Amino acid sequence: MGKKGDLNNFEHGMVVGARGAGLSISQSAQLLGFSRTTISRVYKEWCAKGKTSSMRQSCGRKCLVDARGQRRMGRLIQADRRATLTKITTRYNRGMQQSICEATTRTTLRRMGYNSRRPHRVPLISTTNRKKRLQFARAHQNWTVEDWKNVAWSDESRFLLRHSNGRVRIWRKQNENMDPSCLVTTVQAGGGGVMVWGMFSWHTLGPLVPIGHRLNATAYLSIVSDHVHPFMTTMYPSSDGYFQQDNAPCHKARIISNWFLEHDNEFTVLKWPPQSPDLNPIEHLWDVVERELRALDVHPTNLHQLQDAILSIWANISKECFQHLVESMPRRIKAVLKAKGGQTSY
């Protein structure tokens, strides 16, 4: 007796070809080794619909985690984003008649769109500071790229000789990178290495100044008078420039405020919202420096070599790179408005 049941697509084609060539059902069955019933069913379906269907996809072992099980697993993920594969499997199996293994859990999670990823790191923003960020965004939502070209951006950053390999991983879908349960909050902290202060505008990169010790008001006053002042007066001779700085204590010292008041006819200090590194494009330049440091063939072994490498990388940042960052400012403002002052993906 010939083969019965469902055929694959190639076998369907053989049946249709044989019948189309004028062979009878009996001749086709004898030639191909299929039953007469199968030959008849496949050819009738092709004549009626112009195509054949294979039910082979229904074959194989039944999935251990059905739609209801996937919903259960999804709730476990939502309840604890940092759960390991072992914990998820253990929690899923509680109260279930048929238990599953970790491999099945991994396969199911991937089928549901979840992948294990590092959480996006964002600053912890208080309610008060969210309001201030939202106020700043609303005040500048009509600024164009041409307006942002008049801003000179500044910040400090520390680069370390050695980096921690600690990793925290979470389970999330592709579009959940900014979900609150998928974030790890960070706070400012010190560390060993080289600290630098830098500034730039859409027009050019500014100076990068190594800071030997902790940056206090006296040291910052020297930076402002020796670097900020000549940069602003050169780049914005019409006194239409804005100087951006964050709200670090040394930036808000009385001697600094008094100096800016004495020079307010030359440029304006931009009133900056607290806890807003995502609004400052220079943060991305620090990322560029960090990536280039890690990509060096020969890594610095002491602080002097590290400082030289940082200065060299800064000097070689392309104009296209930092201009693109300034041009992103309208989008950053929109992101803060959309987040109602909360964290953004920048």
Side-chain angles (χ1 to χ4, degrees):
M1 181 177 290
K3 180 178 178 181
K4 294 184 179 181
D6 299 311
L7 312 181
N8 60 34
N9 291 333
F10 177 73
E11 291 169 336
H12 281 192
M14 292 172 61
V15 171
V16 172
R19 293 289 285 122
L23 297 181
S24 66
I25 294 178
S26 298
Q27 291 172 328
S28 299
Q30 185 177 6
L31 175 66
L32 301 176
F34 302 148
S35 69
R36 289 167 52 87
T37 303
T38 300
I39 297 291
S40 177
R41 176 182 61 79
V42 171
Y43 191 66
K44 284 182 178 179
E45 183 180 8
W46 183 83
C47 292
K49 300 180 180 179
K51 62 179 181 179
T52 61
S53 61
S54 173
M55 299 182 67
R56 283 291 178 110
Q57 62 269 24
S58 300
C59 300
R61 183 181 179 183
K62 183 179 179 181
C63 183
L64 293 176
V65 183
D66 56 12
R68 184 177 181 182
Q70 289 186 14
R71 291 194 295 270
R72 173 183 170 84
M73 194 169 291
R75 289 193 296 270
L76 293 174
I77 293 295
Q78 297 292 332
D80 186 3
R81 294 282 188 168
R82 302 187 187 187
T84 63
L85 203 62
T86 301
K87 288 183 178 180
I88 297 171
T89 305
T90 301
R91 293 169 182 173
Y92 178 88
N93 287 334
R94 290 173 185 167
M96 299 294 288
Q97 293 182 349
Q98 187 174 16
S99 62
I100 61 174
C101 63
E102 292 184 15
T104 301
T105 301
R106 182 186 295 107
T107 301
T108 302
L109 289 173
R110 288 178 177 172
R111 187 183 300 120
M112 295 170 63
Y114 287 103
N115 289 284
S116 178
R117 302 179 185 274
R118 292 176 58 192
H120 193 69
R121 305 182 72 87
V122 295
L124 179 63
I125 303 177
S126 66
T127 302
T128 300
N129 290 339
R130 284 174 66 106
K131 294 179 180 178
K132 292 181 179 180
R133 283 165 52 85
L134 187 58
Q135 290 172 356
F136 178 87
R138 287 172 175 169
H140 296 84
Q141 61 182 328
N142 294 323
W143 275 34
T144 65
V145 172
E146 293 301 316
D147 296 315
W148 292 112
K149 288 180 180 181
N150 291 330
V151 178
W153 310 90
S154 73
D155 192 25
E156 301 87 27
S157 185
R158 184 183 297 275
F159 299 92
L160 305 178
L161 273 173
R162 298 174 180 84
H163 304 272
S164 170
N165 290 324
R167 291 289 186 269
V168 175
R169 302 191 73 85
I170 57 169
W171 292 95
R172 68 169 175 83
K173 294 182 179 180
Q174 184 175 4
N175 62 345
E176 292 182 325
N177 61 311
M178 291 307 299
D179 188 286
S181 63
C182 300
L183 304 177
V184 171
T185 57
T186 62
V187 295
Q188 291 182 346
V194 174
M195 187 174 183
V196 294
W197 174 94
M199 69 181 298
F200 84 103
S201 72
W202 187 88
H203 304 284
T204 186
L205 279 176
L208 188 69
V209 182
I211 301 171
H213 302 284
R214 183 176 61 90
L215 184 62
N216 54 29
T218 302
Y220 188 61
L221 181 61
S222 298
I223 290 176
V224 169
S225 58
D226 296 342
H227 300 285
V228 173
H229 185 245
F231 184 92
M232 297 300 295
T233 53
T234 301
M235 291 294 103
Y236 307 102
S238 301
S239 303
D240 57 349
Y242 292 85
F243 173 66
Q244 180 276 336
Q245 61 176 4
D246 61 23
N247 296 284
C250 63
H251 299 171
K252 296 299 182 180
R254 181 175 298 178
I255 58 173
I256 303 299
S257 299
N258 290 340
W259 190 95
F260 283 131
L261 284 174
E262 294 173 3
H263 297 81
D264 62 357
N265 62 323
E266 295 176 301
F267 60 89
T268 303
V269 177
L270 190 64
K271 189 175 181 179
W272 194 248
Q275 294 181 295
S276 299
D278 54 338
L279 283 173
N280 191 350
I282 201 173
E283 295 289 344
H284 290 263
L285 292 187
W286 299 142
D287 291 340
V288 170
V289 175
E290 183 68 42
R291 288 195 299 270
E292 292 296 324
L293 282 174
R294 290 175 181 255
L296 290 175
D297 293 331
V298 180
H299 293 275
T301 57
N302 56 56
L303 296 182
H304 179 73
Q305 292 178 0
L306 177 61
Q307 177 176 304
D308 288 345
I310 293 170
L311 294 173
S312 176
I313 293 171
W314 176 267
N316 287 283
I317 295 176
S318 69
K319 192 172 185 179
E320 180 184 10
C321 175
F322 62 77
Q323 286 186 347
H324 176 73
L325 293 176
V326 175
E327 291 165 359
S328 72
M329 281 307 301
R331 297 192 297 274
R332 294 171 187 256
I333 293 296
K334 288 181 180 179
V336 174
L337 290 172
K338 184 177 180 179
K340 298 181 180 179
Q343 295 96 340
T344 71
S345 59
Y346 286 94

